[in-house]
Amino acid sequence: GVTSMEPFLKKFFPEVNRKMREDTKVSDYCKFDSQLLTSLTSSLYITGILASLIASSVTRALGGKVSILIGGVAFLAGSALGGSAFNIYMLIFGRLLLGVGIDFGNQSVPLYLSEMAPPKCRGAFNIGFQVCVATGILSANLLNYGTQKIKGGWGWKISLAMAAAPASILTIGSLFLPETPNSIIQRTNDHQKAEKMLQRVHGTADVQAELEDLIRASSDSKNINHPFKKIIQRKYRPQLVMAILIPFFQQVTGVNIISFYAPVLFRTIKLSENTSLLMSALVTGGIGTVSAILPMILADKLGRKVLFLLGGIQMLVSQVMIGSIMAAQLGDHGGFSIGYAYLILVLICVYKAGFGFSWGPLGWLVPSEIFPLEIRSAGQSITVAVGLLFTSLVAQTFLAMLCHFKAGVFFFFGGWLTVMTTFVHFFLPETKNVPIELMDKVWREHWFWRKFFDDVGEESKIQGAV
């Protein structure tokens, strides 16, 4: 949001500000095309990719609670640097620290939620993660809208520094979190303590069957010294493919067009700075928050796959319509009529709602629940690293793509939506209401993935456990 604030641009990106204000020869699609500007956005994800390797080992050795604490501390340091920055280097270094916080948070929180939640409501609990992310985006955009009105041009400092508010809650809150039953067994082998935690989580004393599953899974996982080598074995191929493709597909939905650059897009179609920030707040935050509540109710009833398909189709249609309108109505100069501008706002709302109830929350939920314990931390690290890598690439390249592809950039992401929706239909099995320690069963029964399971004895053991 601050990248569209004039005082921020004047201080750190004067060339971008000059093109936006004075250069009438530059295409409307290209006024924000600055690799330095996109480096500010994408730098957050560079350290996140590197930290993912560390986060996996920390989560496996010390538990999710410690990982969440580390993420909160890194967020606090990054927000302090961002709010006090007086040159571009401080800004980028602060973003790098935020990247560490994002990775440790994304590594540990979804796994923590999936391990703590009973199977029948695991989807709702885990999607709560995405609802909170959407609420944070809404809060951040409303904050940007308010701070850009501050006289003196220093409102951007508040916007960047206020990342410390949720970071403080995360850091302090992590001190009071109990460890998951999986982590207790994995790290301390205290079966009695794990049993008490299971009873507390499920609200019943009858947890013996699940406890035995956890003990068996923990025993198997302790024989694994190199989980990253283990995960490339043939029998884990379905999980590895999903760990790579789901976060990749999540990023090429085109959501970062809206999340990162909504104010820039709205400025491109000639809305004012104030209107751009307000529309960004309402669209990227409000619609995202409201729509993310829907899968909390439906993911454990209708299933993950139905929501993936519905959301993919809704996003595809809206992307194609936005691209078509921009191709027909927006030239290199002059902007839209007000009617078309607001039609695009409506279509962006439709798009954001589609992402909010499908690929947004489910892109985190499904990877967090499909890995067996012995490769769970490694699998989640791969998921996070792939997500951060392609988030970084999209963030770094989008403004250049907007400049060169113009309206065609929406058809580019629309093409990927077609591919991913087709992939989900044929290759993603339904995982609702399946106990997390017995998830292998859904892959063994799938028409395509079952060929990777040729160990009859192992299959019999799983079926016997069921």
Side-chain angles (χ1 to χ4, degrees):
V2 298
T3 59
S4 68
M5 294 183 187
E6 187 174 358
F8 180 84
L9 292 175
K10 277 184 177 180
K11 183 174 180 61
F12 296 106
F13 305 95
E15 181 62 23
V16 174
N17 188 63
R18 185 191 64 78
K19 285 194 298 184
M20 185 180 69
R21 294 292 179 183
E22 303 171 8
D23 197 338
T24 58
K25 295 181 181 179
V26 177
S27 167
D28 287 334
Y29 287 102
C30 300
K31 290 185 183 294
F32 288 88
D33 183 17
S34 164
Q35 289 303 300
L36 185 60
L37 180 61
T38 50
S39 294
L40 174 66
T41 300
S42 62
S43 60
L44 182 148
Y45 301 98
I46 301 302
T47 47
I49 297 169
L50 299 175
S52 64
L53 301 175
I54 302 172
S56 170
S57 300
V58 171
T59 302
R60 181 178 171 87
L62 302 178
K65 178 177 178 176
V66 174
S67 288
I68 295 172
L69 177 62
I70 293 172
V73 171
F75 264 118
L76 285 172
S79 58
L81 271 175
S84 61
F86 53 81
N87 59 42
I88 188 64
Y89 304 105
M90 286 185 69
L91 275 178
I92 291 180
F93 188 60
R95 296 281 290 180
L96 293 175
L97 285 173
L98 291 174
V100 175
I102 278 187
D103 179 74
F104 273 86
N106 287 347
Q107 159 74 21
S108 52
V109 174
L111 285 183
Y112 184 92
L113 293 170
S114 286
E115 290 183 353
M116 275 298 211
K120 64 181 180 180
C121 55
R122 185 175 63 243
F125 271 76
N126 208 300
I127 289 169
F129 173 74
Q130 184 66 23
V131 173
C132 291
V133 170
T135 303
I137 293 172
L138 173 61
S139 302
N141 281 291
L142 290 173
L143 180 67
N144 288 339
Y145 179 67
T147 57
Q148 58 90 25
K149 296 176 177 292
I150 295 175
K151 293 181 180 179
W154 50 270
W156 60 269
K157 289 179 174 287
I158 297 178
S159 288
L160 296 180
M162 280 298 289
S168 298
I169 298 172
L170 184 69
T171 305
I172 297 171
S174 67
L175 300 175
F176 298 93
L177 288 176
E179 285 288 2
T180 69
N182 308 64
S183 181
I184 293 170
I185 293 175
Q186 184 80 357
R187 292 173 49 246
T188 69
N189 209 33
D190 188 339
H191 297 176
Q192 185 174 5
K193 184 178 179 182
E195 182 178 14
K196 288 181 179 179
M197 182 55 65
L198 279 173
Q199 291 171 343
R200 181 179 173 188
V201 168
H202 290 282
T204 176
D206 185 18
V207 295
Q208 191 60 38
E210 185 171 351
L211 178 64
E212 290 174 359
D213 289 335
L214 291 179
I215 294 171
R216 182 171 57 251
S218 176
S219 177
D220 292 341
S221 71
K222 286 179 180 177
N223 296 322
I224 309 301
N225 295 321
H226 304 286
F228 283 100
K229 290 183 179 179
K230 186 76 173 177
I231 199 172
I232 63 175
Q233 292 181 1
R234 178 179 173 85
K235 67 176 182 177
Y236 299 120
R237 194 65 47 79
Q239 293 95 327
L240 179 61
V241 169
M242 295 301 167
I244 295 171
L245 286 185
I246 287 179
F248 167 72
F249 284 150
Q250 187 184 50
Q251 297 312 314
V252 293
T253 56
V255 66
N256 289 328
I257 297 176
I258 309 303
S259 298
F260 293 157
Y261 299 117
V264 173
L265 272 176
F266 296 149
R267 296 296 296 276
T268 297
I269 62 177
K270 297 301 183 182
L271 296 179
S272 69
E273 181 179 357
N274 285 351
T275 304
S276 295
L277 286 168
L278 179 59
M279 290 299 102
S280 174
L282 295 177
V283 171
T284 65
I287 300 296
T289 303
V290 172
S291 59
I293 296 173
L294 189 63
M296 290 185 69
I297 303 170
L298 299 179
D300 292 313
K301 294 181 179 179
L302 295 181
R304 285 73 160 138
K305 194 167 180 176
V306 170
L307 296 179
F308 266 132
L309 296 176
L310 290 176
I313 293 170
Q314 182 169 320
M315 286 188 288
L316 173 61
V317 172
S318 55
Q319 284 264 33
V320 169
M321 292 182 68
I322 291 169
S324 299
I325 294 170
M326 291 187 72
Q329 299 296 324
L330 182 64
D332 284 341
H333 306 282
F336 278 142
S337 68
I338 192 66
Y340 280 112
Y342 282 104
L343 176 57
I344 283 189
L345 290 183
V346 171
L347 290 171
I348 287 176
C349 289
V350 172
Y351 168 86
K352 188 65 180 180
F355 180 84
F357 72 75
S358 62
W359 280 93
L362 300 180
W364 291 109
L365 168 61
V366 173
S368 74
E369 65 184 3
I370 62 174
F371 303 114
L373 183 59
E374 63 267 22
I375 60 166
R376 190 168 298 157
S377 62
Q380 185 70 3
S381 281
I382 292 172
T383 299
V384 172
V386 171
L388 291 175
L389 173 63
F390 285 98
T391 300
S392 175
L393 290 175
V394 171
Q396 187 64 36
T397 60
F398 171 66
L399 291 181
M401 290 174 64
L402 183 64
C403 179
H404 291 92
F405 289 6
K406 300 183 180 180
V409 72
F410 293 94
F411 299 109
F412 172 81
F413 289 114
W416 279 113
L417 280 164
T418 303
V419 171
M420 67 182 71
T421 304
T422 303
F423 175 84
V424 165
H425 177 68
F426 288 106
F427 296 104
L428 182 69
E430 182 55 63
T431 57
K432 70 173 182 177
N433 297 330
V434 179
I436 196 169
E437 303 306 331
L438 300 175
M439 195 63 70
D440 270 6
K441 186 173 183 289
V442 301
W443 305 104
R444 293 175 182 275
E445 294 178 350
H446 188 269
W447 70 272
F448 180 80
W449 299 117
R450 64 188 179 193
K451 67 183 181 183
F452 292 95
F453 297 89
D454 49 14
D455 188 337
V456 177
E458 184 73 8
E459 184 171 2
S460 298
K461 182 175 75 173
I462 294 287
Q463 290 175 343
V466 175

Short mmCIF file of all heavy atoms in Angstrom, two decimals, residues 64-88:
data_model
loop_
_atom_site.label_atom_id
_atom_site.label_comp_id
_atom_site.label_asym_id
_atom_site.label_seq_id
_atom_site.Cartn_x
_atom_site.Cartn_y
_atom_site.Cartn_z
N GLY A 64 6.60 -26.74 17.20
CA GLY A 64 6.01 -25.58 16.53
C GLY A 64 5.98 -24.34 17.40
O GLY A 64 6.06 -23.22 16.90
N LYS A 65 5.87 -24.51 18.69
CA LYS A 65 5.80 -23.37 19.60
C LYS A 65 7.04 -22.49 19.49
O LYS A 65 6.94 -21.26 19.42
CB LYS A 65 5.63 -23.88 21.04
CG LYS A 65 5.59 -22.79 22.09
CD LYS A 65 5.35 -23.39 23.46
CE LYS A 65 5.36 -22.32 24.55
NZ LYS A 65 5.04 -22.88 25.88
N VAL A 66 8.22 -23.09 19.46
CA VAL A 66 9.46 -22.32 19.35
C VAL A 66 9.55 -21.64 17.98
O VAL A 66 10.00 -20.50 17.88
CB VAL A 66 10.69 -23.24 19.58
CG1 VAL A 66 11.99 -22.49 19.31
CG2 VAL A 66 10.68 -23.78 21.00
N SER A 67 9.12 -22.34 16.94
CA SER A 67 9.13 -21.75 15.60
C SER A 67 8.24 -20.51 15.53
O SER A 67 8.60 -19.51 14.91
CB SER A 67 8.67 -22.77 14.55
OG SER A 67 9.66 -23.75 14.34
N ILE A 68 7.06 -20.59 16.14
CA ILE A 68 6.16 -19.43 16.16
C ILE A 68 6.80 -18.27 16.90
O ILE A 68 6.71 -17.11 16.48
CB ILE A 68 4.81 -19.82 16.80
CG1 ILE A 68 4.09 -20.86 15.92
CG2 ILE A 68 3.93 -18.60 16.99
CD1 ILE A 68 2.85 -21.46 16.56
N LEU A 69 7.48 -18.55 18.02
CA LEU A 69 8.16 -17.51 18.80
C LEU A 69 9.25 -16.83 17.97
O LEU A 69 9.36 -15.60 17.95
CB LEU A 69 8.76 -18.12 20.06
CG LEU A 69 9.58 -17.18 20.96
CD1 LEU A 69 8.70 -16.04 21.47
CD2 LEU A 69 10.19 -17.95 22.12
N ILE A 70 10.06 -17.62 17.26
CA ILE A 70 11.12 -17.05 16.42
C ILE A 70 10.52 -16.17 15.33
O ILE A 70 11.02 -15.08 15.04
CB ILE A 70 11.97 -18.17 15.80
CG1 ILE A 70 12.76 -18.90 16.89
CG2 ILE A 70 12.93 -17.61 14.75
CD1 ILE A 70 13.48 -20.14 16.40
N GLY A 71 9.43 -16.63 14.73
CA GLY A 71 8.77 -15.83 13.71
C GLY A 71 8.30 -14.49 14.24
O GLY A 71 8.46 -13.45 13.60
N GLY A 72 7.72 -14.50 15.45
CA GLY A 72 7.24 -13.24 16.04
C GLY A 72 8.36 -12.26 16.32
O GLY A 72 8.24 -11.05 16.06
N VAL A 73 9.49 -12.75 16.83
CA VAL A 73 10.63 -11.88 17.13
C VAL A 73 11.19 -11.27 15.84
O VAL A 73 11.53 -10.07 15.79
CB VAL A 73 11.73 -12.67 17.88
CG1 VAL A 73 13.00 -11.83 18.01
CG2 VAL A 73 11.23 -13.07 19.26
N ALA A 74 11.29 -12.08 14.79
CA ALA A 74 11.79 -11.56 13.51
C ALA A 74 10.86 -10.50 12.95
O ALA A 74 11.31 -9.48 12.39
CB ALA A 74 11.95 -12.71 12.51
N PHE A 75 9.56 -10.69 13.10
CA PHE A 75 8.59 -9.68 12.67
C PHE A 75 8.79 -8.37 13.42
O PHE A 75 8.73 -7.29 12.82
CB PHE A 75 7.16 -10.18 12.93
CG PHE A 75 6.52 -10.83 11.74
CD1 PHE A 75 6.13 -12.15 11.77
CD2 PHE A 75 6.29 -10.10 10.58
CE1 PHE A 75 5.53 -12.75 10.68
CE2 PHE A 75 5.69 -10.68 9.48
CZ PHE A 75 5.31 -12.01 9.53
N LEU A 76 9.01 -8.45 14.71
CA LEU A 76 9.20 -7.24 15.51
C LEU A 76 10.42 -6.46 15.04
O LEU A 76 10.38 -5.22 14.88
CB LEU A 76 9.36 -7.62 16.99
CG LEU A 76 8.09 -8.03 17.73
CD1 LEU A 76 8.43 -8.57 19.11
CD2 LEU A 76 7.13 -6.85 17.85
N ALA A 77 11.53 -7.17 14.78
CA ALA A 77 12.74 -6.50 14.33
C ALA A 77 12.54 -5.87 12.95
O ALA A 77 12.97 -4.73 12.70
CB ALA A 77 13.90 -7.50 14.28
N GLY A 78 11.88 -6.59 12.05
CA GLY A 78 11.65 -6.07 10.71
C GLY A 78 10.76 -4.85 10.69
O GLY A 78 11.01 -3.89 9.95
N SER A 79 9.72 -4.84 11.51
CA SER A 79 8.81 -3.69 11.55
C SER A 79 9.49 -2.47 12.15
O SER A 79 9.25 -1.33 11.73
CB SER A 79 7.55 -4.04 12.34
OG SER A 79 7.86 -4.44 13.66
N ALA A 80 10.38 -2.69 13.12
CA ALA A 80 11.12 -1.57 13.71
C ALA A 80 12.02 -0.91 12.67
O ALA A 80 12.09 0.32 12.58
CB ALA A 80 11.96 -2.07 14.89
N LEU A 81 12.70 -1.72 11.86
CA LEU A 81 13.56 -1.17 10.82
C LEU A 81 12.75 -0.44 9.75
O LEU A 81 13.13 0.64 9.29
CB LEU A 81 14.38 -2.28 10.17
CG LEU A 81 15.72 -2.62 10.80
CD1 LEU A 81 16.35 -3.82 10.10
CD2 LEU A 81 16.67 -1.43 10.71
N GLY A 82 11.62 -1.03 9.35
CA GLY A 82 10.80 -0.39 8.32
C GLY A 82 10.26 0.95 8.75
O GLY A 82 10.30 1.93 8.00
N GLY A 83 9.77 1.03 9.99
CA GLY A 83 9.20 2.28 10.47
C GLY A 83 10.22 3.38 10.68
O GLY A 83 9.88 4.57 10.62
N SER A 84 11.49 3.02 10.93
CA SER A 84 12.52 4.03 11.19
C SER A 84 13.44 4.25 9.99
O SER A 84 14.43 4.97 10.10
CB SER A 84 13.36 3.59 12.40
OG SER A 84 14.01 2.35 12.14
N ALA A 85 13.14 3.64 8.85
CA ALA A 85 14.04 3.69 7.69
C ALA A 85 14.22 5.12 7.18
O ALA A 85 13.27 5.88 7.07
CB ALA A 85 13.51 2.79 6.59
N PHE A 86 15.48 5.46 6.85
CA PHE A 86 15.76 6.74 6.21
C PHE A 86 16.45 6.54 4.86
O PHE A 86 16.78 7.51 4.19
CB PHE A 86 16.59 7.65 7.11
CG PHE A 86 17.86 7.03 7.63
CD1 PHE A 86 19.01 6.97 6.85
CD2 PHE A 86 17.89 6.50 8.91
CE1 PHE A 86 20.16 6.40 7.33
CE2 PHE A 86 19.05 5.92 9.41
CZ PHE A 86 20.20 5.87 8.61
N ASN A 87 16.69 5.28 4.46
CA ASN A 87 17.16 5.02 3.10
C ASN A 87 16.64 3.67 2.64
O ASN A 87 16.09 2.89 3.42
CB ASN A 87 18.70 5.07 3.02
CG ASN A 87 19.38 4.06 3.93
OD1 ASN A 87 18.95 2.91 4.04
ND2 ASN A 87 20.44 4.49 4.61
N ILE A 88 16.83 3.38 1.35
CA ILE A 88 16.26 2.18 0.76
C ILE A 88 16.87 0.91 1.35
O ILE A 88 16.21 -0.14 1.43
CB ILE A 88 16.46 2.22 -0.78
CG1 ILE A 88 15.69 1.07 -1.46
CG2 ILE A 88 17.93 2.16 -1.14
CD1 ILE A 88 14.20 1.14 -1.32
#
